[in-house]
Structures are given as C-alpha cells and as structure tokens.
Amino acid sequence: MEINTMSFEKWFGLNGKRAVVTGGSRGLGRAMAMALAEAGADIAITGRTQDTLDKTAAEIGALGRKVWTFKAYMAVPAECETTLERIVKEIGAPDILINNLGNREVNVSIEAESLETWQRMIDRKRDFPCALTAALGLGPLH
C-alpha cells in the first residue's frame, strides 16, 4: 500500500507550529519532541540537566527545526512560572503543549519507592498539567 505523503503532510504536518515539551530532553519527552520536530514543528524543551537538553537540541536542530532549551525544575511552582514567562517572551505562545513532568529523581523500581515519594509524584502529575495549561492561557477552546 502506497501512502500519499502530500495528504499526510497536509493533514498532519506541523510546519510553522511551535511546541513546548516539558521534560523534553530525555525519555518519553525526548521521543515526543523528536516526533513533533519530524512532523515540522519548532520545539522548546525544558529539563533539569543542561547536558541532556543540549544533546536533544542538537538532534532536533539536525532535522532543520528551530529549537530552544530551558533548564528548569518544572515541579517547583516558582521556577515553572518563571520558565513559562521566558518561553512566551522568547518564542511566543506555543501552538502545542506536551505536559510531560516525569519527576523521577532516582532510577529505581516503583516497588522500591517509599509511599511518600510515590504520593508526591502522583500529586505533581495530577496538579502540574492543569497549572501549566492555565499559566500559558491555553485551554480546550484555544
């Protein structure tokens, strides 16, 4: 079966769109940022480690896309707010937002996590997307 790439690009292409991917420097966030870039979007990624931000940014740039990096710990509300202000100031309001707050601070199995750590992760995953979406002025009708 032959795929008509013109139709695919017309319906699913993201040329001219700007995407923000939190936690976009590694893991699932990186994979999503790369997929959006491959579809034509310019990408802003946030992450806690400059080295991984730089590596992912180089890969996105190699696809011919604009890329911005923002080193931030987005689980800290004040740092998240400051970073969002910088993003909007530097690239404008995003067209696409991927809320990908992983917040795994250590690489251990879930069974080895304490109940307190587990609850903190769940609370952040519950609260963060709504706060981030509201802070950017995005919503279901935008």
Side-chain angles (χ1 to χ4, degrees), residues 33-55:
M34 293 299 297
L36 290 167
E38 288 172 4
D42 295 323
I43 310 292
I45 54 175
T46 72
R48 291 180 286 173
T49 310
Q50 192 64 51
D51 183 50
T52 57
L53 283 165
D54 293 342
K55 287 178 184 175

Side-chain angles (χ1 to χ4, degrees), residues 6-18:
M6 185 62 110
S7 294
F8 182 82
E9 289 176 11
K10 176 183 173 188
W11 292 103
F12 299 105
L14 298 176
N15 288 323
K17 301 294 184 186
R18 291 178 310 268

Side-chain angles (χ1 to χ4, degrees), residues 15 30-31 33-43 56-67:
N15 288 323
R30 180 192 165 281
M34 293 299 297
L36 290 167
E38 288 172 4
D42 295 323
I43 310 292
T56 302
E59 293 176 45
I60 292 169
L63 296 172
R65 307 312 316 159
K66 292 179 186 173
V67 61

